[in-house]
Amino acid sequence: MSGLYARVARRPSRAHVRRVTPVPVERADGRVAAVYQQVERDFGMLAPPVSLHSPAPQVLAACWVTLRETLVAAGRVDRATRETVAAAVSAVNSCPYCVEVHSATLDGLLRPAGDAPADARLARVADWARAGTARTSAGQVAPPVDRDEAVELLGVAFAFQYLNRMVNIFLEPSPIPPAVPGALRGGVRKVFGRLMARGARGDRPAGAALELLPSAPPPPDLGWTAGHPILADALARSGAAVDAAGRRSVPESVRELVTARLDSWDGQPTGLSRAWVGDAVGDLPAADRPAGRLALLTAFAAYQVDDEVVAGVRAGGADDRALVELTSWASMTAARRVVAWVPLDPAPPPQPS
């Protein structure tokens, strides 16, 4: 994807973001400018799921480091397989924006010259990725790849467990403008997929984003990255940056509440009602309850966050940076818990009858 396309895409990309105001490219400096430059170079355009984080520069860098070193950087697993995991996880997490982007990209990668037959291997990968979103089903589907490849794919699942939550809160439901008539959306989606696929082809060397964040010791819950030093380093740096943001912008009582509920969560949806949130925050100090509502919904049902929930946190004095830091902490804390359920050992070969 050309630099011209990246520049043309900047303005409509900003229009996708809601509830916070991303830093415009022309006003970006320091860490924000460095991230923007890498995103346009390696992703092909300033992706709104990344730029929405720009009011919080460290969290912006953490988001990009995570996304680049899992989905974008070269590894043992091809990009189409990674996109399969991104789309599958996004579907389970009810994130229509990410489903549309990554399904379209996958179609563009698989069908450069017309329709291609379904790939049975990718179907098995998608089954494994979907099963891994719940504790009760994660152990029932072994990865259809070897362990080293499974670690790379689990990294992609981790990235989208994080991003789906942020995107559901801060982006519109589709990358295609709502003004596009329904009859034309299929064609627009195909063109969009071809453009995204063009940007997805070619190798990007692993580790190029690490310089954006200081080094950090690997936490025990990310031990599944062992044997993959660049991935382990990337997620340790990102996790430390988001943890620091949480300490700044999430009240301690809220962090304790979200962590405790994640300890007993099985990954199942919370249901249509949000009554559980009101019950859950009842013991918090009154001043912390709006942040508690937003953090809990972000972690467990981000698609249920609405303007009223965000306004409650704003009323307590939270600016764009605090909103991004609060939701980023809740998103990443949930993502780290979910991927710990997923098996990495491949299925044993079938035994002869």
Side-chain angles (χ1 to χ4, degrees):
M1 208 177 300
S2 69
L4 174 61
Y5 176 82
R7 291 192 294 274
V8 170
R10 288 172 180 171
R11 187 175 299 275
S13 293
R14 287 202 299 268
H16 294 159
V17 181
R18 57 183 178 177
R19 298 179 178 139
V20 294
T21 302
V23 176
V25 174
E26 58 272 15
R27 296 217 306 267
D29 57 13
R31 184 177 274 122
V32 174
V35 172
Y36 279 7
Q37 182 179 25
Q38 279 202 16
V39 176
E40 290 194 334
R41 182 193 69 201
D42 291 345
F43 198 75
M45 62 177 290
L46 185 55
V50 179
S51 66
L52 72 85
H53 294 77
S54 58
Q58 279 190 302
V59 173
L60 170 71
C63 169
W64 172 239
V65 169
T66 298
L67 180 63
R68 186 193 186 280
E69 302 303 334
T70 59
L71 180 72
V72 178
R76 293 186 57 182
V77 182
D78 63 274
R79 182 65 177 266
T81 305
R82 295 175 188 225
E83 293 288 345
T84 297
V85 172
V89 170
S90 299
V92 177
N93 285 337
S94 301
C95 182
Y97 184 101
C98 290
V99 169
E100 193 160 5
V101 168
H102 296 284
S103 296
T105 304
L106 180 60
D107 287 346
L109 288 168
L110 295 179
R111 299 180 178 86
D115 290 342
D119 188 318
R121 175 179 172 276
L122 292 184
R124 293 194 297 273
V125 167
D127 287 344
W128 172 72
R130 285 190 290 267
T133 59
R135 192 193 300 264
T136 52
S137 59
Q140 298 176 12
V141 181
V145 294
D146 67 36
R147 186 180 179 87
D148 281 341
E149 292 175 330
V151 171
E152 289 189 3
L153 294 181
L154 189 57
V156 178
F158 171 84
F160 282 86
Q161 287 289 352
Y162 171 79
L163 278 171
N164 293 160
R165 289 168 165 82
M166 298 298 289
V167 166
N168 269 332
I169 296 168
F170 294 113
L171 293 189
E172 298 295 341
S174 173
I176 299 174
V180 175
L184 300 179
R185 294 183 76 83
V188 172
R189 182 182 181 278
K190 287 183 179 179
V191 172
F192 175 74
R194 286 197 293 268
L195 290 169
M196 293 298 296
R198 189 185 306 169
R201 294 189 181 97
D203 286 343
R204 275 74 171 176
L210 298 180
E211 65 185 13
L212 295 168
L213 290 171
S215 61
D221 66 301
L222 295 178
W224 54 269
T225 62
H228 292 252
I230 293 178
L231 177 62
D233 192 7
L235 298 191
R237 292 172 190 242
S238 297
V242 173
D243 283 346
R247 290 191 294 272
R248 275 193 302 271
S249 295
V250 187
E252 183 178 3
S253 65
V254 173
R255 299 199 307 271
E256 291 175 351
L257 174 61
V258 172
T259 301
R261 291 187 72 95
L262 283 169
D263 285 342
S264 59
W265 188 46
D266 62 2
Q268 295 299 324
T270 58
L272 297 177
S273 171
R274 294 192 312 200
W276 65 273
V277 180
D279 295 338
V281 301
D283 292 333
L284 292 177
D288 294 349
R289 288 174 193 165
R293 290 188 189 94
L294 179 55
L296 285 168
L297 286 170
T298 299
F300 297 99
Y303 50 85
Q304 291 189 334
V305 172
D306 58 18
D307 291 343
E308 181 184 5
V309 173
V310 173
V313 182
R314 290 272 195 197
D319 57 9
D320 281 2
R321 175 172 178 163
L323 280 175
V324 170
E325 291 190 334
L326 185 156
T327 50
S328 176
W329 176 85
S331 296
M332 187 163 284
T333 302
R336 288 166 69 159
R337 295 302 179 89
V338 172
V339 297
W341 306 332
V342 182
L344 289 171
D345 292 318
Q351 297 299 313
S353 57

